[in-house]
């Protein structure tokens, strides 16, 4: 039996919702002001333990650090980035408070290493720009996101969400590079 036969009208409803766009909250939208006017990355997230190069959410087995591949900078990003200051604490103060950590968590959170200094809509401050950003001014600063609901899709080039589609390498590849770099 084909999926169309099983889903029936549900498939139509889903396609209509996709055509109308996704609500801002569902894409975990983060404004440029929330990240200190820097591209979205683990380096402006309060879940990062900066001294340990680890994330409170991903756990002790995943190294969180920038890397250079083929002469290009790549920076870690994930869907849980909220904007804020990383935690600079001692090893004895580190707490991993998630029930799922490591490889499985990295898959769930969409952890990847974006080309550049992080991610954002329009390439602000060497961030990896997103293919969903459509400029609406001649300076490339203001625009719309073609993923978001049409009545709430105005964004700036320094904003970002989890719908980001830009050049990146997988977390697994990044880990192999970072471990070799030790």
């Amino acid at each position: 039996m084909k999926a169309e036969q099983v889903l029936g009208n549900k498939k139509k409803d889903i396609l209509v919702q996709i055509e109308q766009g996704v609500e801002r909250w569902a894409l975990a939208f983060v404004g440029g002001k929330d990240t200190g006017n820097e591209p979205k990355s683990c380096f402006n997230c309060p879940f990062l333990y900066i001294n340990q190069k680890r994330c409170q959410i991903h756990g002790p087995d995943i190294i969180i650090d920038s890397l250079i591949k083929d002469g290009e900078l790549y920076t870690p990003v994930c869907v849980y980035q909220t904007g804020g200051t990383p935690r600079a604490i001692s090893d004895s103060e580190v707490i991993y408070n998630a029930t799922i950590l490591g490889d499985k968590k990295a898959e769930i959170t969409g952890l990847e290493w974006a080309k550049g200094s992080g991610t954002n809509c329009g390439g602000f401050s060497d961030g990896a720009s997103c293919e969903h950003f459509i400029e609406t001014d001649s300076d490339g600063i203001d625009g719309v996101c073609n993923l978001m609901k049409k009545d709430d899709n105005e964004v700036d080039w320094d904003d970002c969400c989890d719908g980001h589609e830009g050049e990146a390498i997988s977390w697994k590849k990044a880990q192999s590079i970072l471990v070799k770099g030790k």
Side-chain angles (χ1 to χ4, degrees):
M1 189 177 298
K2 293 184 176 182
E4 291 86 9
Q5 292 170 321
V6 174
L7 292 174
N9 286 336
K10 282 188 177 185
K11 182 178 180 185
K12 289 179 191 173
D13 291 344
I14 291 168
L15 290 175
V16 167
Q17 287 175 346
I18 291 170
E19 277 183 23
Q20 292 175 350
V22 180
E23 291 190 35
R24 194 175 287 257
W25 66 265
L27 290 168
F29 179 83
V30 176
K33 312 311 175 262
D34 298 323
T35 59
N37 293 315
E38 294 293 324
K40 178 180 174 181
S41 79
C42 296
F43 301 116
N44 50 36
C45 179
F47 296 123
L48 177 65
Y49 293 127
I50 194 79
N51 296 338
Q52 293 76 16
K53 298 182 181 181
R54 300 297 188 272
C55 171
Q56 185 179 35
I57 293 172
H58 293 103
D61 297 330
I62 306 287
I63 301 166
I64 304 294
D65 200 3
S66 58
L67 61 87
I68 303 292
K69 179 179 180 256
D70 300 327
E72 299 284 347
L73 173 68
Y74 287 82
T75 306
V77 296
C78 92
V79 302
Y80 283 103
Q81 202 276 358
T82 60
T85 303
R87 301 192 65 198
I89 61 176
S90 68
D91 290 349
S92 64
E93 297 174 284
V94 170
I95 298 172
Y96 300 105
N97 63 0
T99 56
I100 300 171
L101 298 170
D103 295 7
K104 188 172 183 179
K105 189 59 152 215
E107 292 292 332
I108 291 170
T109 64
L111 181 63
E112 67 180 11
W113 269 248
K115 186 176 181 181
S117 59
T119 59
N120 53 39
C121 295
F124 174 76
S125 192
D126 193 36
S129 58
C130 180
E131 68 182 26
H132 302 295
F133 179 69
I134 300 166
E135 296 174 12
T136 58
D137 70 352
S138 60
D139 296 324
I141 294 172
D142 294 324
V144 295
C145 173
N146 65 10
L147 279 181
M148 291 183 177
K149 289 185 79 143
K150 304 306 176 225
D151 63 352
D152 186 26
N153 68 348
E154 291 182 12
V155 294
D156 293 325
W157 71 329
D158 62 345
D159 298 333
C160 195
C161 78
D162 295 336
H164 186 270
E165 292 288 338
E167 191 173 337
I169 59 176
S170 73
W171 72 267
K172 287 182 183 179
K173 178 71 176 170
Q175 292 306 292
S176 70
I177 294 168
L178 290 166
V179 167
K180 288 178 187 173
K182 281 186 167 182

